[in-house]
Amino acid sequence: MLLRTGPNIVLLLALLVSFSSILLSSSVGAERWCANNPKDTIFRRLGTKTPYRHVQNKDVRSIATVNGCTVSKIWGLFRHGTRNPSKSIIDHMRTTLPELQRDILEHGHICRDQLELFERWQPRVTVEDAKLLVREGGDELFQLGQRIRKRFGTHIPERYDEHDFRFKFTKTERAEYSARNFSHGLFGRDEPIQYPEALHRDPVLRFYKGCEKWKKQVKQNPYSYREMDRFGSSKQMRSVIEKLSKRIGTFVSPEEVHAIYQTCAFETAWSDRDISPWCLLFDKESISTMEYNEDLKYYWIDGYGYDLTHRQACSAFADLFTNFNDENGPRFTFYFTHSGTLLKSIAFLNLYKDNEPLRGENMRHKRKWRVSHIDAFGTNLYFVLYGCPDGTQSIALYHQERLTNIPGCPEDVPLCSYDHFKQMYADRIEQCDLSAMCYEPHVPSSEKDEL
């Protein structure tokens, strides 16, 4: 399977036969593939590795006052900025891709001027740099902090005060330096900020890390990957493999296609100035297929696939209600976390939910669940509590810095009654017991044999 397991043998044999026939039918002067407007082709189609600049809202007009109501509190979740790949992807960058690079230079069927980009390409990272925040990631969060300052203006104090602000990050380098860069954008680089101790298994910022039941019943459950397996054998995926094989000049496996897609995504996210040569191998249809494969993965593992996945996000929103209901608590709460937290929180709120589950047998071009759009690097989900002249409170949700309707609230008004919002989630927050929800009973080996 494309993302998770080794390639399907039957599929590989069929593809090998198909590719061999392509080679036999190709003449020496065969037409070369020429990628046109590659940046437009890959734009917002890179899954969870999409750079934040592709989805950000550059409009910084004030939203400190809405319908006469003014900002009282802000509470938000922020995904870390652009990072380096995991060790497994870096291994592919350093071993698999140089071999494919040689095949392209010797046998590839792509434009000669684009071949020059492959001649100059070389791996940029080592395994020691795995998952570290890169300069682009720091800039994403720094600029995000600056834009929030501009939008809310004087309603956010110019100087840091530990009673007004709460910044917290998970126990990872990428989340920590995302938080620090964000605070520098908000206050300037010289303002001293106090951060609480980072927790390895934070029940608010990364609740799923301590949920053994979710790990076993969802993340480690082969059945959870069934739709991806089906899509891995689809005609759309076969077409991607055949196209890339022809352009590279040798047969490529599903695993190698995945490595090419991931490298294209990371090298795009790292810099807007250069185009990754690996992106040049995709046409719009091919990269849209790869994007759908990403959507299937995260839909079933981090989204709507299983109720437990998003139910556990109640712990994060219990923190929101505790903060908004406490007049003496910090006015501005900014949490820096990861893709898994943002996607589960999005599903908890019922955002971007399609009428039917995403399936492997039918690739849907029109769908709400598109992680390239909703979970790019730097993704943010923040709530603003507004105090209104009549003494009531209202709430607004901003996703990717854009006002977003909260499912269950009126769609024709910008703000939702805070009392109505609390009532919608009252039962789930009241019943939010992570210990009970995530408890996985230990079954002695002798009993397992009997099951």
Side-chain angles (χ1 to χ4, degrees):
M1 171 51 211
L2 184 66
L3 291 178
R4 184 175 55 86
T5 64
N8 181 286
I9 298 300
V10 175
L11 174 61
L12 273 180
L13 288 173
L15 288 168
L16 281 168
V17 171
S18 174
F19 180 64
S20 297
S21 65
I22 290 173
L23 284 182
L24 288 171
S25 63
S26 297
S27 64
V28 175
E31 183 179 349
R32 293 176 177 269
W33 162 249
C34 224
N36 296 316
N37 302 317
K39 287 190 176 182
D40 292 339
T41 298
I42 64 173
F43 183 70
R44 294 177 75 170
R45 293 189 179 92
L46 300 174
T48 60
K49 311 309 182 294
T50 298
Y52 188 64
R53 63 179 177 271
H54 286 186
V55 300
Q56 69 183 24
N57 180 13
K58 295 181 180 180
D59 184 352
V60 292
R61 284 177 292 182
S62 175
I63 52 176
T65 302
V66 179
N67 286 5
C69 305
T70 56
V71 172
S72 174
K73 289 194 171 193
I74 299 176
W75 182 99
L77 298 171
F78 296 78
R79 186 188 174 194
H80 59 76
T82 295
R83 60 166 172 82
N84 282 327
S86 63
K87 290 181 179 179
S88 61
I89 297 299
I90 293 175
D91 283 339
H92 278 298
M93 286 180 169
R94 300 188 68 83
T95 57
T96 304
L97 265 58
E99 293 179 3
L100 294 176
Q101 179 188 29
R102 287 191 291 272
D103 289 324
I104 290 169
L105 296 177
E106 294 176 7
H107 312 293
H109 290 80
I110 62 175
C111 284
R112 296 189 185 280
D113 60 332
Q114 295 178 351
L115 274 175
E116 294 176 4
L117 294 176
F118 280 101
E119 289 176 349
R120 297 196 297 268
W121 180 84
Q122 58 184 0
R124 301 191 223 171
V125 289
T126 64
V127 291
E128 290 75 22
D129 300 320
K131 294 193 174 182
L132 297 182
L133 192 75
V134 299
R135 180 186 293 274
E136 178 72 13
D139 290 344
E140 287 167 340
L141 272 295
F142 179 81
Q143 293 164 13
L144 180 54
Q146 287 183 318
R147 289 194 297 274
I148 285 181
R149 162 68 65 190
K150 290 178 181 177
R151 290 192 186 100
F152 293 103
T154 57
H155 288 80
I156 298 181
E158 291 186 6
R159 302 299 301 272
Y160 170 79
D161 184 302
E162 63 179 349
H163 299 294
D164 280 336
F165 293 90
R166 178 174 171 82
F167 295 91
K168 195 176 184 186
F169 46 79
T170 64
K171 202 175 182 64
T172 61
E173 183 269 357
R174 57 194 181 279
E176 176 179 350
Y177 284 95
S178 291
R180 294 185 185 278
N181 278 280
F182 177 89
S183 65
H184 291 159
L186 198 62
F187 294 110
R189 296 190 181 276
D190 297 327
E191 193 78 2
I193 309 294
Q194 295 183 23
Y195 300 95
E197 180 183 359
L199 304 176
H200 179 62
R201 290 186 174 181
D202 194 305
V204 174
L205 276 65
R206 222 176 182 187
F207 41 83
Y208 53 95
K209 283 293 183 179
C211 192
E212 295 302 320
K213 189 173 183 179
W214 173 77
K215 290 179 185 178
K216 292 183 180 180
Q217 295 189 5
V218 180
K219 189 174 183 180
Q220 298 168 1
N221 180 3
Y223 191 80
S224 302
Y225 299 86
R226 180 181 60 169
E227 299 304 326
M228 284 177 57
D229 289 338
R230 288 175 173 170
F231 192 62
S233 300
S234 67
K235 64 179 181 180
Q236 292 96 336
M237 196 59 73
R238 291 198 302 272
S239 175
V240 173
I241 294 171
E242 289 174 1
K243 286 178 179 178
L244 265 64
S245 295
K246 184 175 181 180
R247 291 162 191 172
I248 291 171
T250 187
F251 176 78
V252 290
S253 69
E255 187 178 24
E256 289 168 332
V257 171
H258 174 58
I260 292 170
Y261 177 68
Q262 290 293 305
T263 302
C264 162
F266 276 107
E267 292 186 347
T268 297
W270 288 339
S271 172
D272 189 33
R273 296 186 299 274
D274 305 313
I275 183 74
S276 169
W278 299 102
C279 295
L280 303 175
L281 297 172
F282 294 102
D283 52 34
K284 186 175 179 179
E285 182 182 354
S286 296
I287 207 154
S288 295
T289 299
M290 300 302 295
E291 180 196 21
Y292 188 71
N293 192 79
E294 287 272 290
D295 290 341
L296 281 173
K297 173 185 177 181
Y298 291 102
Y299 181 92
W300 289 96
I301 302 303
D302 285 326
Y304 290 106
Y306 298 88
D307 286 344
L308 176 59
T309 301
H310 50 85
R311 275 178 52 219
Q312 59 184 311
C314 65
S315 63
F317 291 94
D319 184 270
L320 178 150
F321 286 111
T322 297
N323 177 265
F324 278 6
N325 294 338
D326 182 4
E327 294 182 0
N328 298 317
R331 292 182 58 208
F332 306 99
T333 301
F334 301 108
Y335 290 142
F336 298 85
T337 180
H338 304 266
S339 170
T341 301
L342 267 300
L343 287 175
K344 294 174 183 68
S345 297
I346 284 170
F348 180 86
L349 294 168
N350 237 28
L351 291 168
Y352 310 110
K353 187 175 184 180
D354 294 281
N355 292 331
E356 298 292 333
L358 267 60
R359 300 291 184 187
E361 65 268 18
N362 59 326
M363 176 175 161
R364 256 184 267 159
H365 290 284
K366 290 186 178 181
R367 58 188 184 278
K368 298 176 183 177
W369 184 268
R370 301 187 72 154
V371 294
S372 300
H373 298 207
I374 66 177
D375 188 39
F377 284 127
T379 282
N380 47 86
L381 195 72
Y382 58 87
F383 291 83
V384 181
L385 185 66
Y386 289 90
C388 302
D390 61 1
T392 63
Q393 292 179 306
S394 293
I395 193 169
L397 168 63
Y398 294 86
H399 178 228
Q400 313 298 42
E401 306 175 76
R402 294 176 180 84
L403 183 63
T404 302
N405 176 256
I406 302 170
C409 288
E411 296 184 15
D412 55 347
V413 293
L415 301 181
C416 180
S417 161
Y418 182 55
D419 286 338
H420 176 68
F421 179 74
K422 286 192 293 185
Q423 187 59 38
M424 286 198 303
Y425 293 96
D427 289 343
R428 281 194 278 175
I429 298 302
E430 184 178 334
Q431 298 167 14
C432 185
D433 183 346
L434 280 188
S435 297
M437 193 183 300
C438 295
Y439 174 66
E440 179 73 9
H442 173 70
V443 180
S445 57
S446 58
E447 293 184 26
K448 287 181 182 179
D449 295 338
E450 297 173 3
L451 293 178

